[in-house]
Amino acid sequence: MFTGIVREVGSVVTTRGGAGGVRLEIAAPRTAPLVEVGGSVSVNGVCLTAESVDGDSLVFHAVPETLSRSTLGDLATGAAVNLEPALLAGDALGGHIVQGHVDGVGRVQSVEAEGEGLRVIVEAPAEILRYCVEKGSITVEGVSLTIAELHDDAFGVALIPHTLAETTLVTLEPGRHVNVEVDALAKYVERLLAPRLGR
């Protein structure tokens, strides 16, 4: 479990593999000391298991299921990634409950300056938008954000200066694909209510 509060921007050291699976080595000097082999880390919003910890580096393996639902297969050497180690009992829940189970991939439609921050519109499939509500929570690239606006085919978020300074979202541009995870509570509520609504 995570909070969507990025603790470090790491860097991809090596990436090997293809559709059958990808091995990722990520330089993470602040995160690696906090992780043991077998521990979970959110990498751009995707929960991955640390296969090895070597000094300041972490090694993960992304399987076909993960690659089909996320952008991890597109990562290249040198790419910056948002990192968050798993939540520990007693840690502050500063964002919202994030599972690291990416629901799908969105596409950045527009990025516009808004005061000292940015307004970003992300196109998303209907199966993601059905769980979105204005002022509700959503995770983009592992970052907990508040939905500022909704459209028929997209949602918008307002990025504050701190978020831009501490995550990779400062590099967003139109056309870029991003990992999206909706608020898990919305899915549980739908599942519980479905029998009563005759679905």
Side-chain angles (χ1 to χ4, degrees), residues 14-24 61-62 67 73:
T14 60
T15 174
R16 295 203 305 267
V22 171
R23 178 188 182 275
L24 291 169
H61 189 89
L67 298 175

Side-chain angles (χ1 to χ4, degrees), residues 3-4 95-98 103 122 124 128-129 131-133 135-150 154-158 169 179-184:
T3 68
H96 71 282
I97 296 174
V98 176
D103 291 297
V122 180
I128 286 177
L129 292 173
Y131 299 110
C132 295
V133 295
K135 303 306 178 185
S137 296
I138 197 158
T139 308
V140 176
E141 293 290 270
V143 183
S144 174
L145 299 170
T146 300
I147 297 171
E149 58 183 285
L150 281 173
F155 64 88
V157 291
L169 299 190
N179 296 320
V180 179
E181 179 185 336
V182 301
D183 190 342

Side-chain angles (χ1 to χ4, degrees), residues 14 16 21-22 24 38 40 45 47 63 65 91 97 103 109 144 155 159 173 177 197:
T14 60
R16 295 203 305 267
V22 171
L24 291 169
S40 297
C47 178
V63 297
E65 168 69 11
D91 284 352
I97 296 174
D103 291 297
Q109 184 181 86
S144 174
F155 64 88
L159 305 182
E173 56 186 15
H177 290 92
L197 298 176

Side-chain angles (χ1 to χ4, degrees), residues 49-169:
T49 299
E51 291 189 346
S52 68
V53 180
D54 183 11
D56 290 342
S57 295
L58 297 166
V59 173
F60 307 95
H61 189 89
V63 297
E65 168 69 11
T66 301
L67 298 175
S68 70
R69 291 181 179 268
S70 73
T71 64
L72 292 190
D74 299 330
L75 291 176
T77 299
V81 289
N82 294 320
L83 301 175
E84 181 189 356
L87 185 68
L88 299 176
D91 284 352
L93 187 61
H96 71 282
I97 296 174
V98 176
Q99 295 179 308
H101 302 162
V102 170
D103 291 297
V105 174
R107 178 180 176 276
V108 176
Q109 184 181 86
S110 65
V111 179
E112 296 183 0
E114 188 175 64
E116 296 182 8
L118 295 176
R119 174 73 61 136
V120 179
I121 307 299
V122 180
E123 296 175 0
E127 57 266 28
I128 286 177
L129 292 173
R130 67 187 292 179
Y131 299 110
C132 295
V133 295
E134 191 170 335
K135 303 306 178 185
S137 296
I138 197 158
T139 308
V140 176
E141 293 290 270
V143 183
S144 174
L145 299 170
T146 300
I147 297 171
E149 58 183 285
L150 281 173
H151 304 277
D152 290 339
D153 63 346
F155 64 88
V157 291
L159 305 182
I160 63 174
H162 179 78
T163 299
L164 297 174
E166 299 294 329
T167 74
T168 64
L169 299 190

